Amino acid sequence: MDADVKYVCKECACDESRAKKLLTLCGNDPRRAVKHHRMLQAMLGKQGHSSTKPQVPTPPTPPPEDDPVSAGLEPGTSPESSSSSTSPSKDEGPVAWDFRLPRLPKEEAIDIIGTAHGNQEYDPFEDIHSQQAPAFNLRELCAAVEHGASFHQIQKYMQGFPTGTVKTRINDTVEGIPSIFYAVESNDPSFLRLWASYDAKVSVVHPASGTPLLAYAIGLSEQLDGCDTSDVVTTLLSLGASPKSIPEAFYQPYNKDLCEDELLQHVDGVDAKAKDADFHYEWQWCHPAFIRRLMVRTMHLTNRYHLDRATRLPRVGIRHRQVAAMRNAKGVLGIPHYLIGQTVAANQLMQKLLTYLTVPSKKPLVLVFAGPSGHGKTELARKLGYLLGLALEVVDCTIFNDERELFGPRAPYYGSEHGSPLNNFIAKNNGKQSIVFLDEFEKTTTNIHQALLVPFDNGEYQDRRSRSTIDCSRTIWILATNALDSKILQFCRANPAILQHDTASSQSDYMKSLSRKLAGELRSSFLDRFGAPVTGRVSDLIPFLPFSKGEQAVVAHKFVLDLAERVAAPVVLGPARDQDMGGTSSGSGGEGQQQLLGNIKLCVRRDASVCARLAKTEYSEDLGARSLFNAVGHVKDRLVESYLDEDTEIEGTSGQPKTEYIVDIRAGEIVVRKEAGDDAGEVY
């Protein structure tokens, strides 16, 4: 018996076999093995286990071969079809998979999540033997993700190893599944982007069935009891996942209701014979009927839109990728995937940022976002900050009449020691990249314009508190304005083709010429409105256009998804808090807050037709998304009416199954009803 085994046996009061298993699990590090054993004992003790010698975890026992229900499969599907340890040959064909990942034992994640320490942050490398570095454990990492580790815990664990070490292992499998599937299972885009930062491949497939990661992200919604996964789907597309890994029949045209019967009967490229020209072997994962039903249920309008849009975006060039990677700005390349509509704005912004990254300037980047309210100006600024990892300061210019209100008085005047939110943000980000978003810039006064000229021109700013010079040359200034709305709307009515990005390529020469023509007209109008000093310092002017009819429906659908998320939360009863009208809203409640409308699974049937109707009724070019938010408010009203029509008291629903409500369209009218038989409880 070697020294390490003896040490573990003594400290853990276990036999030789147990000690060897602990050492194997902990990378042959004796101190880590002892710590793991003690933490596991503490955790099991809290859970009421009487054993003082917990066993090293073993993989879960598979269900009996004659029990497809326990295996999570549809009747008639064999348990072998869910195996993921081997890849099928083309002769054998792919096997069916139920979109469930193996559940890894929680004790394997204990070094990361620190369960035995009362959920306090735990450093797995603390007190480790100085002569023996811990091994990167991919299985432990995936187990931690499955059992609710925070992003910070996962990130800290991965950063504890050399980047090259993590990169060489990140594409390995755990229980036969590529590790990035576990990142997607979290339904958190941050985990997915973290995996991608270590070169995890987003084009991987489930080995046994051939199911692409993108399809898994879509179908995952059903495993999460209807929780929307479109943010993860969008992130995958932005990272390079190919929409063509999924048959086009499921998402083209995006603004058409999916028909389950049609897709069960035939899908081009899937149901063809292997020798036919249109046969796609890579699509055979969706050959089983129950997989097609799953895709129909989870391939909602928003997912269809983003998949369809991704097929129309131009391929990112090699040099574009090289520049973005060298400047640590890969997120720039994903900008077009995160917006609904605004193809002109997204493409123009991406090209301007790539130019700025390729040929840096000592002057800051000053951009004008021009377009009607509610069409994505603020959203794009926030996405830009998120994708580039930059601090963002949003300033509402409607409340400032003087530059001293915006930046604060100069020292030694009264109040100068406090500065202002904008002044302090600029000073805090001295010499760093950051974003300042000046909303409704047309409301600013001439002396505010004068105060901005030096920062815009020289990239220098004087801190009002100390009069010290601040370097803001790397700041991205965004001036958002509605002052040019009439010019934009007039141009779009005269050139309607510029709005048809769902049917025409935004990269055609004609579309590019239209975009340049619009930009020229807007710059001239901006000069007339704001004068030469400000206009001369603007790097580029980005136009935001009205939504097309298809885009209007998708925006409405996004608000429906938000409503579904709010009403899915459990009903919480309790004493009402002091608020107007004596209660809380029916939205999602915080801790200790009532939620009277909840535990609902809101499903939209014929979502393209429903959302097109909402958009047709309510969309306004002047209000944009705000008008569509109001339209979905009518759906909420009908849902509440149907909910309150139940002739029973509202009860707390923690742990109870959700009640399903259906949103549908009948004779051109939106109806909301509880799923309890034909036409039961309908509200028009």
Side-chain angles (χ1 to χ4, degrees), residues 300-511:
H300 55 56
L301 177 59
T302 297
N303 282 337
R304 299 199 302 273
Y305 172 79
H306 286 297
L307 287 169
D308 177 73
R309 181 184 175 100
T311 65
R312 302 174 190 277
L313 292 173
R315 184 183 67 86
V316 177
I318 294 175
R319 291 193 177 184
H320 293 84
R321 293 186 183 278
Q322 181 185 13
V323 168
M326 294 182 69
R327 299 296 187 189
N328 194 29
K330 289 183 179 180
V332 167
L333 305 177
I335 288 174
H337 292 278
Y338 284 93
L339 297 177
I340 298 172
Q342 306 311 339
T343 306
V344 171
N347 288 338
Q348 193 170 329
L349 176 61
M350 185 175 71
Q351 291 301 324
K352 190 63 183 180
L353 290 172
L354 286 170
T355 300
Y356 183 73
L357 293 170
T358 305
V359 187
S361 171
K362 292 183 179 180
K363 294 186 177 183
L365 195 61
V366 181
L367 304 172
V368 173
F369 283 8
S373 296
H375 285 85
K377 298 189 294 293
T378 305
E379 180 185 4
L380 180 53
R382 294 189 187 280
K383 285 297 182 185
L384 182 61
Y386 167 72
L387 292 173
L388 296 180
L390 302 182
L392 168 69
E393 179 73 7
V394 177
V395 179
D396 179 4
C397 293
T398 62
I399 62 176
F400 301 112
N401 295 315
D402 186 85
E403 61 94 16
R404 287 171 296 182
E405 297 175 352
L406 180 61
F407 294 106
R410 299 179 188 273
Y413 289 101
Y414 177 77
S416 62
E417 67 275 12
H418 301 299
S420 74
L422 178 56
N423 176 89
N424 301 346
F425 175 84
I426 296 172
K428 181 180 179 180
N429 290 279
N430 183 13
K432 302 177 184 177
Q433 280 193 322
S434 61
I435 301 174
V436 173
F437 184 81
L438 302 178
D439 198 15
E440 299 202 53
F441 186 71
E442 70 275 8
K443 303 295 196 306
T444 54
T445 57
T446 302
N447 70 346
I448 290 178
H449 297 171
Q450 292 294 325
L452 288 168
L453 295 182
V454 172
F456 285 0
D457 198 33
N458 299 331
E460 293 181 352
Y461 173 76
Q462 188 180 72
D463 188 344
R464 298 297 174 93
R465 298 168 297 182
S466 62
R467 289 185 174 269
S468 60
T469 300
I470 302 300
D471 176 11
C472 61
S473 61
R474 303 182 69 197
T475 301
I476 299 174
W477 296 84
I478 300 176
L479 319 180
T481 179
N482 302 327
L484 310 181
D485 290 3
S486 59
K487 175 65 70 174
I488 291 174
L489 295 177
Q490 180 183 353
F491 185 91
C492 291
R493 292 184 184 113
N495 302 275
I498 200 169
L499 299 178
Q500 303 306 313
H501 301 303
D502 47 0
T503 58
S505 171
S506 62
Q507 295 300 302
S508 68
D509 291 339
Y510 176 63
M511 294 297 291

Side-chain angles (χ1 to χ4, degrees), residues 214 242-248 251 282-283 311:
L214 184 61
S242 173
K244 295 187 177 180
S245 62
I246 298 173
E248 289 97 337
Y251 59 87
E282 66 274 16
W283 289 348
T311 65

Side-chain angles (χ1 to χ4, degrees), residues 61 123 202 204 210 214 234 280 300 386 470 473 490 595 661 677:
T61 304
D123 185 352
V202 297
V204 295
L214 184 61
T234 303
H280 288 260
H300 55 56
Y386 167 72
I470 302 300
S473 61
Q490 180 183 353
Q595 171 143 330
Y661 280 78

Side-chain angles (χ1 to χ4, degrees), residues 62-84 92-100 206 208-209 288 290-291:
E65 293 188 3
D66 58 351
D67 186 8
V69 176
S70 298
L73 305 176
E74 288 206 347
T77 305
S78 66
E80 290 85 355
S81 67
S82 65
S83 171
S84 56
E92 295 173 346
V95 296
W97 179 45
D98 64 351
F99 281 49
R100 296 179 188 272
H206 178 263
S209 67
F290 82 94
I291 293 295

